Amino acid sequence: TDIAECLLSAPFCADALVVDSGSGDHTVETARRCGARVVTHTWAGFGPQKQFAVQEARHDWVLCLDADERLSPELRESIVTLFAAGAPPHPAYALARRNRFLGRWLAHGEGYPDWTTRLFDRRRARWSDDPVHEQVLANGPVGRLDGDLMHASAESIERYIAKQNRYTTLQADALHARGKRSSGFAMAASPIARFFRFYVLKLGFLDGAPGFAHIAIGAFASFLKHAKLRALERAARNP
């Protein structure tokens, strides 16, 4: 399963912790068979849930992975080498995540390199409280490591679009709560700018049909976020 491959890709970790929020499959049993500790915690949103896991860890340096992610051999070697040289010079490190979409490992556009900070010293960095699109906030410059974090998502196109729909609702709610506003121009310009950036400037067209679909859905998600924010603004004006 995904969780087994994830855990086995990081054998150097002194403490493997899996935070489960009520999975209905064999995640808990599989994780324990792989030697991981399992802690159950009610889902609190992406940022808070990951920060809870960080707090439950037994060591200050933490590596945060999702169940469908695993370290490439090169990235695994980079992490081992980093700590073999003594105390890491940066408080946090970003990993080049490589996404699989419609059966293809993307090499351009939004799919790669999708830099994401996952390795950090919890005394000098933490997860943000964002319910979606959470990020690590570090007290200092973030380093980068060689190798890829393989995001081996096997979800269907229907589930992927449904997830984007949920995420954009959470984004719009968060923006509205902070007093942010949108406009008709933003609804039109944001998806166009996103598509041009990743499909043309970031060479997403080189990933063929999967690359086009990945970026097109991302551009539509930008539209949805602004459209939902406008709807929230209108509902607030006309209760």
Side-chain angles (χ1 to χ4, degrees):
T1 65
D2 282 345
I3 191 64
E5 292 185 28
C6 174
L7 291 167
L8 294 174
S9 76
F12 53 80
C13 291
D15 172 42
L17 169 67
V18 171
V19 176
D20 184 79
S21 57
S23 59
D25 53 16
H26 300 291
T27 294
V28 172
E29 295 85 348
T30 302
R32 286 176 175 154
R33 280 201 303 271
C34 292
R37 291 190 294 124
V38 178
V39 175
T40 300
H41 187 254
T42 302
W43 182 250
F46 287 97
Q49 191 80 354
K50 290 183 177 181
Q51 185 58 27
F52 170 82
V54 168
Q55 293 166 350
E56 290 292 308
R58 289 175 175 164
H59 303 280
D60 289 325
W61 274 94
V62 295
L63 172 65
C64 299
L65 302 176
D66 292 337
D68 58 358
E69 295 173 338
R70 61 222 49 173
L71 308 181
S72 68
E74 184 181 7
L75 178 55
R76 185 161 55 241
E77 182 61 29
S78 293
I79 295 174
V80 171
T81 300
L82 175 69
F83 286 93
H90 298 292
Y93 289 84
L95 316 179
R97 184 166 63 170
R98 185 165 189 170
N99 294 288
R100 185 174 68 189
F101 190 73
L102 296 182
R104 176 168 180 164
W105 288 104
L106 303 180
H108 308 280
E110 290 186 90
Y112 184 79
D114 179 15
W115 287 102
T116 177
T117 303
R118 297 299 189 84
L119 176 66
F120 59 91
D121 181 348
R122 66 180 178 183
R123 296 165 297 185
R124 296 181 289 162
R126 69 181 310 279
W127 284 101
S128 67
D129 293 328
D130 300 311
V132 67
H133 293 323
E134 69 288 355
Q135 58 184 320
V136 172
L137 308 175
N139 297 327
V142 176
R144 289 184 173 184
L145 295 177
D146 293 331
D148 294 338
L149 174 62
M150 312 301 289
H151 181 211
S153 175
E155 63 189 355
S156 66
I157 192 74
E158 291 83 6
R159 288 182 60 193
Y160 183 74
I161 292 174
K163 183 171 70 174
Q164 297 306 308
N165 190 35
R166 293 195 304 272
Y167 284 2
T168 53
T169 296
L170 292 171
Q171 285 179 289
D173 288 343
L175 290 170
H176 184 67
R178 296 201 299 267
K180 300 294 185 180
R181 300 176 63 83
S182 186
S183 65
F185 176 79
M187 279 195 291
S190 178
I192 293 172
R194 182 170 178 174
F195 186 87
F196 180 78
R197 177 188 177 193
F198 290 110
Y199 194 70
V200 179
L201 299 182
K202 296 291 186 179
L203 307 180
F205 62 88
L206 294 177
D207 283 324
F212 175 83
H214 190 254
I215 296 169
I217 293 171
F220 182 60
S222 291
F223 164 78
L224 283 179
K225 178 182 68 177
H226 286 281
K228 291 176 180 180
L229 181 55
R230 289 279 287 175
L232 289 172
E233 294 169 10
R234 177 168 295 183
R237 290 195 304 267
N238 303 289

